[in-house]
Amino acid sequence: MRLFDKIAIIGVGLIGGSIGLAVKRRRLTEEVIGVFRKRSTMNKALKRSAVDRATMDIGSGVEDADLIILAASISSIPELARQAIRYAKKDAIITDVGSAKRWIIEKVEGLIGASRQVFFVGSHPMAGSERTSVEFARADLFEGSPCIVTHTSRTDRMALGRVVDFWKALGARVKVMTPASHDRSVSLISHLPHIVAFSLAGAVPKESLTYAAEGFKDTTRVASSDPELWADIFMANRDEILRSAKVFGRRYREILHALSKGSRSKLVGLLVKARLNRDRLTHGSTR
Amino acid sequence: MRLFDKIAIIGVGLIGGSIGLAVKRRRLTEEVIGVFRKRSTMNKALKRSAVDRATMDIGSGVEDADLIILAASISSIPELARQAIRYAKKDAIITDVGSAKRWIIEKVEGLIGASRQVFFVGSHPMAGSERTSVEFARADLFEGSPCIVTHTSRTDRMALGRVVDFWKALGARVKVMTPASHDRSVSLISHLPHIVAFSLAGAVPKESLTYAAEGFKDTTRVASSDPELWADIFMANRDEILRSAKVFGRRYREILHALSKGSRSKLVGLLVKARLNRDRLTHGSTR
């Protein structure tokens, strides 16, 4: 089913590349255009057939597109949005895939201003892995994974509906919420866990790493993520992450306190609650 | 290659069952005897052919064994050791698979006393998962995974050598160290990460769990582990875990501090160090 005539993807890494593959497999568009910053990435993306056409010129990349997806790293999104707005045709819909939404949306809505020549709807497909290159892109990356689409007082309802349909067509479980709600939920379910994983991986001396078993590998897997990329995400969602750190810290100190006091029953109670929560997530889908 | 004529496994869950399967596949013994507390587990183990012979009577289970493996939950090990020592034949070697070694070994060495009718060598195969039943047992569970074998001033060198050879025959990467060194290393690489994972899983409100992606699932996977079992492990290695919590806490607060001050370069530096550490562990072995 064709949802858009032409789709431009700016930044074709794991997420952008997977969108390209998924869109092509499901025939959601006539043509997928990839916009690249580096020739080496362009060649990799063409080799994977993640896009139909590739360019390093953002103007010619977006000019015919009905849907423009900003899939580059979060810190570059405002500038890419500025250029996309400039070259986009009238009524084009622009979306992004950034992990912190308020920071992005305030900037991009400011750029669009009152002109309303194009529409912007923020997205955050919660899929991916610690490997960010197009070489790891997969057409099924979004199947069954959550995707948050944001609305603000300035969001066009029609554009919102079309972006929701787009992610649903890729198999995602779409939820619409405000940028603030997004940032709060995601700080606790994704950003802070990344900080905790980085902290654990960073705390272990080299000589102890020899004894790392599957448990440690899983718990710290996301600490293999790109530091520059995640530093930008953390900075963009700083206030909510610091708030979530307090929530985590309370539970963590409760557990340590029960342990240091030798209150086994208290300790078991806290672990049981945690396990119940964890078991709400589908068993077996992670391995 | 036959290493022992008869091997008794007391407690046949994931670890005990995997030992049984591995020993049988590699023909390391003439007979594997399983000692059970519950008939239902016994039936499951026999169905999986994890043992050759099954009994609920510890005396008849261990009387002919050259190697007795205590593979039940940590809190039951001292009492099982007491019974095993009582019924074991002269010169039998007893080992265990408990995750905290000083607590176990002080008790068991005290039970053996000066008599020296049997030998005890502590082991900790660092394999397994959050699923502890014999139904998940695998003959290859120990292949390539670390296994710490402990020595103390009272450890018999010959018995130590035979226990080391046993785990090597199962494919484990064996490291010999004191119970104190074990407890320190493992508190940081396994016990504290479990506490952190339980804390994260326990801190997230139900409504946010909907947005959990693979990163969160991996980071908290071990929070699906058995709370009773892990409460006992935590209690048995309390002092070292509280010490490791300080090591983790320092790194965690450094990262949060850089974030709250908006020091991007400091933040990136800390994440880069963490990632280098994490990348020392083999890529791809966790998924």
Side-chain angles (χ1 to χ4, degrees), chain B:
Chain B
M1 184 184 61
R2 188 177 297 177
L3 292 179
F4 294 95
D5 288 336
K6 287 184 196 292
I7 296 177
I9 303 172
I10 306 183
V12 187
L14 172 69
I15 301 292
S18 296
I19 294 173
L21 291 172
V23 159
K24 288 174 68 180
R25 178 184 287 179
R26 291 154 196 256
R27 301 176 195 285
L28 302 181
T29 189
E30 191 191 301
E31 190 181 31
V32 179
I33 307 125
V35 179
F36 297 84
R37 198 164 46 89
K38 287 195 229 159
R39 194 165 297 274
S40 57
T41 316
M42 186 163 88
N43 292 337
K44 281 184 204 161
L46 287 170
K47 204 171 152 196
R48 288 289 321 267
S49 301
V51 296
D52 297 310
R53 183 155 64 84
T55 175
M56 293 178 72
D57 177 57
I58 192 163
S60 70
V62 307
E63 65 187 0
D64 294 327
D66 309 282
L67 177 66
I68 300 166
I69 303 168
L70 310 175
S73 62
I74 189 166
S75 58
S76 62
I77 287 180
E79 172 56 21
L80 292 174
R82 198 184 59 77
Q83 294 186 48
I85 291 164
R86 180 164 153 205
Y87 296 111
K89 66 179 185 184
K90 194 173 176 321
D91 294 339
I93 296 173
I94 303 176
T95 189
D96 74 310
V97 302
S99 304
K101 300 261 58 98
R102 214 160 30 171
W103 184 86
I104 291 172
I105 290 165
E106 281 171 8
K107 288 186 166 52
V108 179
E109 287 190 344
L111 290 166
I112 294 180
S115 68
R116 298 284 194 138
Q117 293 287 310
V118 297
F119 303 110
F120 181 79
V121 179
S123 304
H124 179 200
M126 299 186 67
S129 83
E130 72 281 14
R131 294 156 187 157
T132 47
S133 155
V134 67
E135 288 154 292
F136 301 106
R138 288 163 27 204
D140 64 354
L141 186 69
F142 308 103
E143 278 173 29
S145 67
C147 179
I148 295 173
V149 175
T150 61
H151 72 91
T152 72
S153 58
R154 299 173 70 181
T155 304
D156 180 85
R157 303 284 299 169
M158 188 274 298
L160 176 66
R162 296 194 69 199
V163 170
V164 167
D165 286 345
F166 175 74
W167 290 113
K168 283 192 174 161
L170 298 192
R173 296 185 286 112
V174 178
K175 177 89 182 168
V176 176
M177 63 177 75
T178 64
S181 299
H182 166 278
D183 286 1
R184 180 153 303 177
S185 286
V186 169
S187 72
L188 199 50
I189 205 85
S190 167
H191 301 170
L192 186 75
H194 274 76
I195 286 184
V196 166
F198 276 115
S199 306
L200 270 178
V204 174
K206 220 189 303 184
E207 58 275 17
S208 294
L209 284 172
T210 323
Y211 317 119
E214 294 307 303
F216 185 80
K217 288 182 187 170
D218 281 343
T219 311
T220 59
R221 183 178 61 79
V222 298
S224 277
S225 305
D226 183 343
E228 299 276 345
L229 193 104
W230 278 91
D232 286 335
I233 294 170
F234 297 154
M235 300 280 279
N237 199 24
R238 179 168 65 176
D239 295 349
E240 290 300 340
I241 292 172
L242 294 173
R243 208 188 308 260
S244 292
K246 289 197 177 117
V247 177
F248 162 74
R250 269 196 295 277
R251 183 56 49 102
Y252 174 67
R253 282 192 306 274
E254 268 186 308
I255 292 179
L256 285 187
H257 184 76
L259 178 61
S260 72
K261 293 289 168 208
S263 331
R264 187 179 181 283
S265 63
K266 182 90 197 321
L267 186 56
V268 170
L270 289 163
L271 304 188
V272 164
K273 268 197 231 166
R275 185 197 201 187
L276 276 175
N277 243 3
R278 180 56 181 80
D279 285 350
R280 287 204 172 90
L281 306 174
T282 330
H283 256 313
S285 65
T286 58
R287 306 199 67 180

Side-chain angles (χ1 to χ4, degrees), chain A residues 251 269-279, chain B residues 197-199 201-202 223:
Chain A
R251 184 55 49 100
L270 289 163
L271 305 187
V272 164
K273 268 197 230 166
R275 188 199 198 183
L276 276 175
N277 243 3
R278 179 56 181 80
D279 285 351
Chain B
F198 276 115
S199 306

Side-chain angles (χ1 to χ4, degrees), chain A residues 7 9 34 41 47 50 77 98 111 119 129 138 150 179 181 185 209 217 236 274 276:
Chain A
I7 295 177
I9 304 172
T41 316
K47 206 172 151 196
I77 286 180
L111 290 166
F119 303 108
S129 83
R138 287 164 25 205
T150 61
S181 299
S185 284
L209 284 173
K217 288 183 187 168
L276 276 175

